[in-house]
Coordinates of all heavy atoms in Angstrom, one line a residue:
M1 N 104.3 114.0 100.9 CA 104.3 112.5 101.1 C 103.6 112.2 102.4 O 103.9 112.7 103.4 CB 105.8 112.1 101.2 CG 105.9 110.6 101.5 SD 107.6 110.0 101.3 CE 108.6 111.2 102.2
R2 N 102.6 111.3 102.3 CA 101.9 110.9 103.4 C 102.6 109.9 104.2 O 103.1 108.9 103.7 CB 100.5 110.4 102.9 CG 99.6 110.0 104.1 CD 98.3 109.6 103.5 NE 98.4 108.9 102.3 CZ 97.5 108.1 101.8 NH1 96.4 107.9 102.4 NH2 97.7 107.5 100.6
R3 N 102.6 110.0 105.5 CA 103.3 109.0 106.4 C 102.3 108.4 107.3 O 101.3 109.0 107.7 CB 104.4 109.7 107.2 CG 105.5 110.2 106.3 CD 106.6 110.8 107.2 NE 107.7 111.2 106.4 CZ 108.8 110.5 106.2 NH1 108.9 109.3 106.8 NH2 109.8 110.9 105.4
R4 N 102.6 107.2 107.7 CA 101.8 106.5 108.7 C 102.5 106.2 110.0 O 103.7 106.1 109.9 CB 101.3 105.1 108.1 CG 100.4 105.3 106.9 CD 100.2 104.0 106.3 NE 101.4 103.7 105.4 CZ 101.8 102.5 105.1 NH1 101.1 101.5 105.4 NH2 102.9 102.4 104.3
R5 N 101.8 106.2 111.0 CA 102.5 105.8 112.3 C 102.6 104.3 112.5 O 101.6 103.6 112.2 CB 101.7 106.4 113.5 CG 101.8 107.9 113.6 CD 102.5 108.2 114.8 NE 102.7 109.6 114.9 CZ 103.8 110.2 115.1 NH1 104.9 109.5 115.3 NH2 103.9 111.5 115.2
S6 N 103.7 103.8 112.8 CA 103.9 102.4 113.0 C 103.6 102.1 114.4 O 103.3 102.9 115.3 CB 105.3 102.0 112.7 OG 106.2 102.5 113.6
A7 N 103.7 100.8 114.8 CA 103.4 100.3 116.1 C 104.4 100.9 117.1 O 104.1 101.1 118.3 CB 103.4 98.8 116.2
T8 N 105.6 101.2 116.6 CA 106.6 101.8 117.5 C 106.5 103.3 117.7 O 107.2 103.9 118.4 CB 108.0 101.5 117.0 OG1 108.2 102.0 115.7 CG2 108.2 100.0 117.0
G9 N 105.5 103.9 116.9 CA 105.3 105.4 117.0 C 106.1 106.1 116.0 O 106.1 107.4 115.9
E10 N 107.0 105.5 115.2 CA 107.8 106.1 114.2 C 107.0 106.4 112.9 O 106.1 105.6 112.6 CB 109.0 105.3 113.9 CG 109.9 105.0 115.0 CD 111.0 104.1 114.7 OE1 111.1 103.7 113.5 OE2 111.8 103.7 115.6
D11 N 107.3 107.5 112.2 CA 106.7 107.7 110.9 C 107.3 106.8 109.9 O 108.5 106.6 109.8 CB 106.9 109.1 110.5 CG 106.1 110.1 111.2 OD1 105.1 109.7 111.8 OD2 106.5 111.3 111.3
T12 N 106.5 106.1 109.1 CA 107.0 105.2 108.1 C 106.5 105.7 106.7 O 105.3 106.1 106.6 CB 106.5 103.7 108.3 OG1 105.1 103.7 108.4 CG2 107.1 103.1 109.6
P13 N 107.3 105.7 105.7 CA 106.9 106.2 104.4 C 106.0 105.2 103.7 O 106.0 104.0 104.1 CB 108.2 106.4 103.7 CG 109.2 105.5 104.3 CD 108.7 105.4 105.8
R14 N 105.3 105.6 102.7 CA 104.4 104.7 101.9 C 105.3 103.7 101.2 O 106.5 103.9 101.0 CB 103.6 105.6 100.9 CG 102.7 106.5 101.6 CD 102.0 107.4 100.6 NE 102.1 107.0 99.2 CZ 101.7 107.8 98.2 NH1 101.2 109.0 98.5 NH2 101.8 107.4 97.0
K15 N 104.6 102.6 100.8 CA 105.4 101.5 100.1 C 106.0 102.0 98.8 O 107.0 101.5 98.4 CB 104.5 100.3 99.9 CG 104.2 99.5 101.1 CD 103.4 98.3 100.8 CE 103.1 97.4 102.0 NZ 102.4 96.3 101.7
S16 N 105.3 102.9 98.1 CA 105.7 103.3 96.8 C 106.8 104.4 96.9 O 107.0 105.1 95.9 CB 104.5 103.7 96.0 OG 103.9 104.9 96.6
T17 N 107.5 104.6 98.0 CA 108.5 105.6 98.1 C 109.8 105.1 97.5 O 110.2 103.9 97.8 CB 108.7 106.0 99.6 OG1 107.5 106.5 100.1 CG2 109.8 107.0 99.7
L18 N 110.5 105.9 96.7 CA 111.8 105.5 96.2 C 112.8 106.3 96.9 O 112.6 107.5 97.4 CB 111.9 105.9 94.7 CG 111.0 105.1 93.7 CD1 111.1 105.6 92.3 CD2 111.2 103.7 93.8
Y19 N 114.0 105.7 97.1 CA 115.1 106.3 97.8 C 116.3 106.4 96.9 O 116.6 105.4 96.3 CB 115.5 105.5 99.1 CG 114.4 105.3 100.1 CD1 113.4 104.3 99.9 CD2 114.2 106.2 101.1 CE1 112.4 104.2 100.9 CE2 113.2 106.1 102.0 CZ 112.3 105.1 101.9 OH 111.3 104.9 102.8
C20 N 117.0 107.5 97.0 CA 118.3 107.6 96.3 C 119.4 107.1 97.2 O 119.6 107.6 98.3 CB 118.6 109.0 95.9 SG 120.2 109.2 95.0
P21 N 120.2 106.1 96.8 CA 121.3 105.6 97.6 C 122.4 106.6 97.8 O 123.2 106.5 98.7 CB 121.7 104.3 96.9 CG 121.4 104.6 95.5 CD 120.1 105.4 95.5
E22 N 122.6 107.6 96.9 CA 123.7 108.5 96.9 C 123.4 109.7 97.9 O 124.2 110.1 98.7 CB 124.0 109.0 95.5 CG 124.6 107.9 94.6 CD 125.9 107.4 95.1 OE1 126.8 108.2 95.6 OE2 126.1 106.2 95.0
C23 N 122.3 110.3 97.7 CA 122.0 111.6 98.4 C 120.9 111.5 99.4 O 120.5 112.5 100.1 CB 121.7 112.7 97.5 SG 120.2 112.6 96.6
D24 N 120.3 110.3 99.6 CA 119.2 110.1 100.5 C 117.9 110.8 100.2 O 117.0 111.0 101.0 CB 119.6 110.4 102.0 CG 120.6 109.4 102.5 OD1 120.6 108.2 102.0 OD2 121.5 109.8 103.3
H25 N 117.8 111.3 99.0 CA 116.5 111.9 98.5 C 115.4 110.8 98.5 O 115.7 109.7 98.2 CB 116.7 112.5 97.1 CG 115.4 113.1 96.6 ND1 114.9 114.3 97.0 CD2 114.5 112.6 95.7 CE1 113.8 114.6 96.4 NE2 113.5 113.6 95.6
R26 N 114.2 111.2 98.9 CA 113.1 110.2 98.9 C 111.8 111.0 98.5 O 111.6 112.1 98.9 CB 113.0 109.5 100.2 CG 112.5 110.4 101.4 CD 112.3 109.7 102.6 NE 113.6 109.2 103.2 CZ 113.7 108.5 104.3 NH1 112.7 108.2 105.0 NH2 114.9 108.2 104.7
S27 N 111.0 110.3 97.7 CA 109.7 110.8 97.4 C 108.9 109.6 96.7 O 109.5 108.6 96.4 CB 109.8 112.0 96.4 OG 110.2 111.6 95.2
P28 N 107.6 109.8 96.6 CA 106.8 108.7 96.0 C 107.2 108.4 94.6 O 107.8 109.3 93.9 CB 105.4 109.3 96.0 CG 105.4 110.4 97.0 CD 106.8 110.9 97.0
A29 N 107.0 107.2 94.1 CA 107.4 106.8 92.7 C 106.8 107.7 91.7 O 107.3 108.0 90.6 CB 107.0 105.4 92.5
T30 N 105.6 108.3 92.0 CA 104.9 109.2 91.1 C 105.3 110.6 91.3 O 104.7 111.5 90.8 CB 103.4 109.1 91.3 OG1 103.0 109.3 92.6 CG2 102.9 107.7 90.9
G31 N 106.3 110.9 92.2 CA 106.7 112.2 92.5 C 107.7 112.8 91.5 O 107.5 112.7 90.3
E32 N 108.7 113.5 92.1 CA 109.6 114.4 91.3 C 110.8 113.7 90.6 O 111.7 114.4 90.2 CB 110.1 115.5 92.2 CG 110.8 114.9 93.4 CD 110.8 115.9 94.6 OE1 109.9 116.8 94.7 OE2 111.7 115.7 95.4
W33 N 110.8 112.4 90.4 CA 111.9 111.7 89.8 C 111.9 112.1 88.3 O 110.9 112.3 87.7 CB 111.7 110.2 90.0 CG 111.7 109.8 91.4 CD1 110.5 109.6 92.2 CD2 112.8 109.7 92.3 NE1 110.9 109.3 93.5 CE2 112.2 109.4 93.6 CE3 114.1 109.8 92.2 CZ2 113.0 109.2 94.7 CZ3 114.9 109.6 93.3 CH2 114.4 109.3 94.5
N34 N 113.2 112.1 87.8 CA 113.3 112.3 86.4 C 113.2 110.9 85.7 O 113.9 110.0 86.0 CB 114.8 112.8 86.0 CG 115.0 114.2 86.6 OD1 114.0 115.0 86.7 ND2 116.2 114.5 87.1
V35 N 112.2 110.8 84.8 CA 111.8 109.6 84.2 C 112.2 109.6 82.8 O 111.8 110.5 82.0 CB 110.3 109.3 84.3 CG1 110.0 107.9 83.7 CG2 109.9 109.3 85.8
A36 N 113.0 108.6 82.3 CA 113.4 108.5 80.9 C 112.9 107.2 80.4 O 113.2 106.1 81.0 CB 115.0 108.6 80.8
E37 N 112.2 107.2 79.3 CA 111.7 106.0 78.7 C 112.3 105.8 77.4 O 112.4 106.7 76.6 CB 110.1 106.1 78.5 CG 109.4 106.2 79.9 CD 107.9 106.2 79.7 OE1 107.4 106.3 78.5 OE2 107.2 106.2 80.7
T38 N 112.8 104.5 77.2 CA 113.3 104.1 75.9 C 112.4 103.0 75.4 O 111.4 102.7 76.0 CB 114.7 103.5 76.1 OG1 114.7 102.4 76.9 CG2 115.7 104.6 76.7
A39 N 112.8 102.4 74.3 CA 111.9 101.4 73.7 C 111.8 100.2 74.6 O 110.8 99.4 74.6 CB 112.5 101.0 72.3
R40 N 112.9 99.9 75.4 CA 112.9 98.7 76.2 C 112.8 99.0 77.7 O 112.5 98.0 78.5 CB 114.2 98.0 75.9 CG 114.3 97.4 74.6 CD 115.5 96.6 74.4 NE 115.4 95.9 73.2 CZ 116.1 94.8 72.9 NH1 117.0 94.4 73.8 NH2 116.0 94.2 71.8
R41 N 113.1 100.2 78.2 CA 113.2 100.4 79.6 C 112.6 101.7 80.1 O 112.6 102.6 79.3 CB 114.7 100.3 80.1 CG 115.4 99.1 79.8 CD 116.7 99.0 80.4 NE 117.5 97.9 80.0 CZ 117.3 96.6 80.3 NH1 116.3 96.3 81.0 NH2 118.1 95.7 79.8
T42 N 112.3 101.8 81.3 CA 111.9 103.0 82.0 C 112.9 103.2 83.1 O 113.1 102.3 84.0 CB 110.5 103.0 82.5 OG1 109.6 102.7 81.5 CG2 110.1 104.3 83.2
R43 N 113.6 104.3 83.2 CA 114.6 104.6 84.2 C 114.2 105.8 85.0 O 113.8 106.8 84.5 CB 115.9 104.8 83.5 CG 117.0 105.2 84.5 CD 118.4 105.3 83.8 NE 118.7 103.9 83.5 CZ 119.6 103.6 82.5 NH1 120.1 104.5 81.8 NH2 119.8 102.3 82.3
Y44 N 114.3 105.7 86.3 CA 114.0 106.7 87.2 C 115.4 107.3 87.8 O 116.2 106.5 88.3 CB 113.2 106.3 88.4 CG 111.8 105.9 88.0 CD1 111.5 104.7 87.4 CD2 110.7 106.8 88.3 CE1 110.2 104.4 87.0 CE2 109.4 106.5 87.9 CZ 109.2 105.3 87.3 OH 107.9 104.9 86.9
R45 N 115.6 108.6 87.7 CA 116.8 109.2 88.2 C 116.5 110.2 89.3 O 115.4 110.9 89.2 CB 117.6 109.9 87.1 CG 118.2 108.9 86.1 CD 119.0 109.7 85.1 NE 119.5 108.9 84.0 CZ 120.7 108.3 84.0 NH1 121.5 108.6 85.0 NH2 121.1 107.6 83.0
C46 N 117.4 110.4 90.2 CA 117.2 111.3 91.3 C 117.2 112.7 90.7 O 118.1 113.1 89.9 CB 118.3 111.1 92.3 SG 118.3 112.3 93.7
P47 N 116.3 113.6 91.1 CA 116.3 114.9 90.6 C 117.4 115.8 91.2 O 117.8 116.8 90.7 CB 114.9 115.5 91.1 CG 114.5 114.7 92.3 CD 115.2 113.3 92.0
E48 N 118.0 115.3 92.3 CA 119.1 116.1 93.0 C 120.5 115.8 92.5 O 121.3 116.6 92.2 CB 119.0 116.0 94.5 CG 117.7 116.6 95.1 CD 117.6 116.5 96.6 OE1 118.7 116.2 97.2 OE2 116.5 116.7 97.1
C49 N 120.8 114.5 92.4 CA 122.1 114.1 92.0 C 122.2 113.3 90.7 O 123.3 112.9 90.3 CB 122.8 113.3 93.2 SG 122.0 111.7 93.4
R50 N 121.1 113.0 90.1 CA 121.0 112.3 88.8 C 121.4 110.8 88.9 O 121.6 110.2 87.9 CB 121.8 113.0 87.7 CG 121.5 114.4 87.5 CD 120.5 114.8 86.4 NE 120.8 114.2 85.2 CZ 119.9 113.7 84.4 NH1 118.7 113.7 84.7 NH2 120.2 113.1 83.2
T51 N 121.5 110.2 90.0 CA 121.8 108.8 90.2 C 120.6 108.0 89.7 O 119.4 108.3 90.0 CB 122.1 108.5 91.7 OG1 123.2 109.2 92.1 CG2 122.3 107.0 91.9
S52 N 120.9 106.9 89.0 CA 119.8 106.0 88.5 C 119.3 105.2 89.7 O 120.1 104.5 90.4 CB 120.4 105.1 87.5 OG 119.3 104.2 87.0
V53 N 118.0 105.4 90.0 CA 117.4 104.8 91.2 C 116.7 103.5 90.9 O 116.7 102.5 91.6 CB 116.5 105.8 91.9 CG1 115.8 105.1 93.1 CG2 117.3 107.0 92.3
L54 N 116.0 103.4 89.7 CA 115.2 102.3 89.3 C 115.2 102.2 87.8 O 115.0 103.2 87.1 CB 113.8 102.5 89.9 CG 112.8 101.4 89.5 CD1 113.1 100.1 90.1 CD2 111.4 101.9 89.9
T55 N 115.4 101.0 87.3 CA 115.3 100.7 85.9 C 114.3 99.5 85.8 O 114.6 98.5 86.4 CB 116.6 100.4 85.3 OG1 117.5 101.5 85.5 CG2 116.5 100.1 83.8
Q56 N 113.3 99.7 85.0 CA 112.3 98.6 84.8 C 112.2 98.3 83.3 O 112.2 99.2 82.5 CB 111.0 99.0 85.3 CG 111.0 99.1 86.8 CD 109.6 99.5 87.3 OE1 108.9 100.3 86.7 NE2 109.2 98.9 88.4
P57 N 111.9 97.0 82.9 CA 111.6 96.7 81.5 C 110.3 97.3 81.1 O 109.4 97.4 82.0 CB 111.6 95.2 81.4 CG 111.4 94.8 82.8 CD 111.9 95.8 83.7
R58 N 110.1 97.7 79.9 CA 108.8 98.2 79.4 C 108.2 97.1 78.5 O 108.9 96.4 77.8 CB 109.1 99.5 78.5 CG 109.4 100.7 79.3 CD 109.3 101.9 78.4 NE 108.0 102.0 77.8 CZ 107.8 102.8 76.9 NH1 108.7 103.6 76.3 NH2 106.5 102.9 76.4
Y59 N 106.9 97.1 78.6 CA 106.2 96.1 77.7 C 105.1 96.9 76.9 O 104.5 97.9 77.4 CB 105.4 95.1 78.6 CG 106.4 94.2 79.4 CD1 106.5 94.4 80.8 CD2 107.1 93.3 78.8 CE1 107.4 93.7 81.5 CE2 108.0 92.5 79.5 CZ 108.1 92.7 80.9 OH 109.0 91.9 81.6
D60 N 105.0 96.6 75.7 CA 103.9 97.2 74.9 C 102.6 96.7 75.4 O 102.4 95.8 76.2 CB 104.1 96.8 73.4 CG 105.4 97.4 72.8 OD1 105.8 98.5 73.3 OD2 105.9 96.8 71.9
D61 N 101.5 97.3 74.8 CA 100.1 97.0 75.3 C 99.8 95.5 75.2 O 99.3 95.0 76.1 CB 99.1 97.8 74.5 CG 99.2 99.3 74.8 OD1 99.6 99.6 75.9 OD2 98.7 100.1 74.0
G62 N 100.2 94.9 74.1 CA 99.9 93.5 73.9 C 100.9 92.5 74.5 O 100.7 91.3 74.6
E63 N 102.0 93.1 74.9 CA 103.1 92.3 75.4 C 103.1 92.2 76.9 O 102.9 93.2 77.6 CB 104.4 92.9 74.9 CG 105.7 92.1 75.2 CD 106.9 92.9 74.7 OE1 106.8 94.0 74.3 OE2 108.0 92.3 74.8
T64 N 103.5 91.1 77.5 CA 103.5 90.9 78.9 C 104.8 90.2 79.3 O 105.6 89.8 78.4 CB 102.3 90.2 79.5 OG1 102.4 88.9 79.0 CG2 101.0 90.9 79.1
A65 N 105.0 89.9 80.6 CA 106.1 89.1 81.0 C 105.8 87.6 80.9 O 106.6 86.8 81.4 CB 106.4 89.5 82.5
A66 N 104.7 87.3 80.3 CA 104.3 85.8 80.3 C 105.3 84.9 79.6 O 105.5 83.8 80.1 CB 102.9 85.7 79.5
P67 N 106.0 85.4 78.5 CA 107.1 84.5 78.0 C 108.1 84.1 79.0 O 108.6 83.0 79.1 CB 107.6 85.3 76.8 CG 106.6 86.2 76.4 CD 105.9 86.5 77.7
V68 N 108.5 85.0 79.9 CA 109.5 84.7 80.9 C 109.0 83.7 81.9 O 109.6 82.8 82.3 CB 110.0 86.0 81.6 CG1 110.9 85.7 82.7 CG2 110.7 86.9 80.5
A69 N 107.7 84.0 82.3 CA 107.1 83.1 83.3 C 106.9 81.7 82.7 O 107.1 80.7 83.4 CB 105.7 83.6 83.7
A70 N 106.6 81.6 81.4 CA 106.4 80.3 80.8 C 107.8 79.6 80.7 O 107.8 78.4 81.0 CB 105.8 80.5 79.4
M71 N 108.8 80.3 80.4 CA 110.1 79.7 80.3 C 110.6 79.2 81.7 O 111.1 78.1 81.8 CB 111.2 80.7 79.8 CG 112.6 80.2 79.7 SD 113.7 81.4 79.1 CE 113.8 82.4 80.6
W72 N 110.3 80.0 82.7 CA 110.7 79.6 84.1 C 109.9 78.3 84.5 O 110.5 77.4 85.1 CB 110.4 80.7 85.0 CG 110.8 80.4 86.4 CD1 109.9 80.2 87.4 CD2 112.0 80.1 87.0 NE1 110.5 79.9 88.6 CE2 111.9 79.8 88.3 CE3 113.3 80.1 86.5 CZ2 112.9 79.5 89.2 CZ3 114.4 79.8 87.3 CH2 114.2 79.5 88.6
G73 N 108.6 78.3 84.1 CA 107.8 77.1 84.5 C 108.3 75.9 83.8 O 108.4 74.8 84.4
R74 N 108.8 76.0 82.5 CA 109.3 74.8 81.8 C 110.6 74.4 82.5 O 110.9 73.2 82.6 CB 109.6 75.2 80.3 CG 108.3 75.2 79.5 CD 108.6 75.3 78.0 NE 109.4 76.4 77.6 CZ 108.9 77.6 77.3 NH1 107.6 77.8 77.3 NH2 109.7 78.6 77.0
T75 N 111.4 75.3 82.9 CA 112.7 75.0 83.6 C 112.4 74.2 84.8 O 113.1 73.2 85.1 CB 113.5 76.3 83.8 OG1 113.7 77.0 82.6 CG2 114.8 76.0 84.5
V76 N 111.5 74.7 85.7 CA 111.2 74.1 86.9 C 110.7 72.7 86.7 O 111.1 71.7 87.3 CB 110.2 74.9 87.7 CG1 109.7 74.1 88.9 CG2 110.9 76.2 88.2
R77 N 109.8 72.5 85.7 CA 109.2 71.2 85.4 C 110.4 70.3 84.9 O 110.4 69.1 85.3 CB 108.2 71.3 84.3 CG 106.8 71.8 84.9 CD 105.7 71.6 83.9 NE 105.9 72.3 82.7 CZ 105.6 73.6 82.5 NH1 105.0 74.3 83.5 NH2 105.8 74.2 81.4
G78 N 111.3 70.7 84.2 CA 112.4 69.9 83.7 C 113.3 69.4 84.9 O 113.7 68.3 84.9
V79 N 113.5 70.3 85.8 CA 114.3 70.0 87.0 C 113.6 68.9 87.8 O 114.2 67.9 88.3 CB 114.7 71.2 87.8 CG1 115.2 70.8 89.2 CG2 115.6 72.1 87.1
V80 N 112.3 69.1 88.0 CA 111.5 68.2 88.8 C 111.5 66.8 88.1 O 111.7 65.8 88.8 CB 110.1 68.7 89.0 CG1 109.1 67.6 89.5 CG2 110.1 69.9 89.9
D81 N 111.4 66.8 86.8 CA 111.4 65.5 86.1 C 112.8 64.8 86.2 O 112.9 63.6 86.4 CB 111.2 65.7 84.6 CG 109.7 66.1 84.3 OD1 108.9 65.9 85.2 OD2 109.4 66.6 83.2
Q82 N 113.9 65.6 86.2 CA 115.2 65.0 86.4 C 115.3 64.4 87.8 O 115.9 63.4 88.0 CB 116.3 66.1 86.1 CG 116.4 66.5 84.7 CD 116.9 65.3 83.9 OE1 117.8 64.6 84.3 NE2 116.4 65.2 82.7
L83 N 114.8 65.1 88.8 CA 114.9 64.6 90.2 C 114.1 63.3 90.3 O 114.5 62.4 91.0 CB 114.4 65.7 91.2 CG 115.3 66.9 91.3 CD1 114.6 67.9 92.2 CD2 116.6 66.5 91.9
R84 N 112.9 63.2 89.7 CA 112.2 62.0 89.7 C 112.9 60.9 89.1 O 112.9 59.7 89.6 CB 110.8 62.2 89.0 CG 109.8 63.0 89.8 CD 108.5 63.1 89.1 NE 107.6 64.0 89.8 CZ 106.8 64.8 89.2 NH1 106.8 64.9 87.9 NH2 106.0 65.6 90.0
L85 N 113.6 61.1 88.0 CA 114.4 60.0 87.3 C 115.5 59.6 88.2 O 115.8 58.4 88.4 CB 114.9 60.5 86.0 CG 113.9 60.6 84.8 CD1 114.5 61.3 83.6 CD2 113.4 59.2 84.5
C86 N 116.2 60.6 88.8 CA 117.3 60.2 89.7 C 116.8 59.4 90.9 O 117.5 58.4 91.3 CB 118.0 61.5 90.2 SG 118.9 62.3 88.9
R87 N 115.7 59.8 91.5 CA 115.2 59.1 92.6 C 114.8 57.6 92.2 O 115.1 56.7 92.9 CB 114.0 59.8 93.2 CG 113.5 59.1 94.5 CD 112.5 59.7 95.3 NE 111.7 60.8 94.8 CZ 110.6 61.3 95.5 NH1 110.2 60.7 96.6 NH2 110.0 62.3 95.0
R88 N 114.1 57.5 91.1 CA 113.8 56.2 90.6 C 115.0 55.3 90.3 O 115.1 54.1 90.7 CB 112.9 56.3 89.3 CG 112.3 54.9 89.0 CD 111.3 55.0 87.9 NE 111.9 55.5 86.6 CZ 111.3 55.8 85.5 NH1 110.0 55.6 85.5 NH2 111.9 56.2 84.5
F89 N 116.0 55.9 89.7 CA 117.3 55.2 89.4 C 117.9 54.8 90.7 O 118.4 53.6 90.9 CB 118.2 56.0 88.6 CG 119.5 55.4 88.3 CD1 119.6 54.4 87.4 CD2 120.6 55.8 89.0 CE1 120.9 53.8 87.2 CE2 121.9 55.2 88.8 CZ 122.0 54.2 87.9
W90 N 118.0 55.7 91.7 CA 118.5 55.4 93.0 C 117.8 54.2 93.7 O 118.4 53.3 94.3 CB 118.5 56.6 93.9 CG 119.1 56.4 95.2 CD1 118.4 56.2 96.4 CD2 120.5 56.3 95.6 NE1 119.3 56.0 97.4 CE2 120.6 56.1 97.0 CE3 121.7 56.4 94.9 CZ2 121.8 56.0 97.6 CZ3 122.9 56.3 95.5 CH2 122.9 56.1 96.9
A91 N 116.5 54.3 93.6 CA 115.7 53.2 94.3 C 115.9 51.9 93.6 O 116.0 50.8 94.3 CB 114.2 53.6 94.2
E92 N 116.1 51.8 92.3 CA 116.3 50.6 91.6 C 117.7 50.0 91.9 O 117.9 48.8 91.9 CB 116.1 50.8 90.1 CG 114.7 51.0 89.7 CD 114.5 51.4 88.2 OE1 115.6 51.4 87.5 OE2 113.4 51.6 87.8
T93 N 118.7 50.9 92.0 CA 120.1 50.4 92.2 C 120.3 50.0 93.7 O 121.3 49.2 93.9 CB 121.1 51.4 91.8 OG1 120.9 52.6 92.5 CG2 121.0 51.7 90.3
T94 N 119.6 50.5 94.6 CA 119.8 50.2 96.0 C 118.9 49.1 96.5 O 119.0 48.7 97.7 CB 119.7 51.5 96.9 OG1 118.4 52.0 96.7 CG2 120.7 52.5 96.6
A95 N 117.9 48.7 95.7 CA 117.0 47.7 96.1 C 117.5 46.3 96.1 O 118.4 45.9 95.6 CB 115.7 47.7 95.3

């Protein structure tokens, strides 16, 4: 694992380093982790204690996270529209 020197002189691990919360094992995400892939998820387990360290959703080649982003965008727009209506109603009733 390549380390960089920080401004304080300490060795800092690369950003893609995974840490096991149980046994403090650490290595790059592309390192020695036990990787299990299912139809929906990819799970990384510690090679020393078998603790699940990271679970990520899997997407097929044509599938992306775009539906979730689109749903979130619609939700935010709905909330903004409701706030505008409330502000307009408030302005009309206090005028």
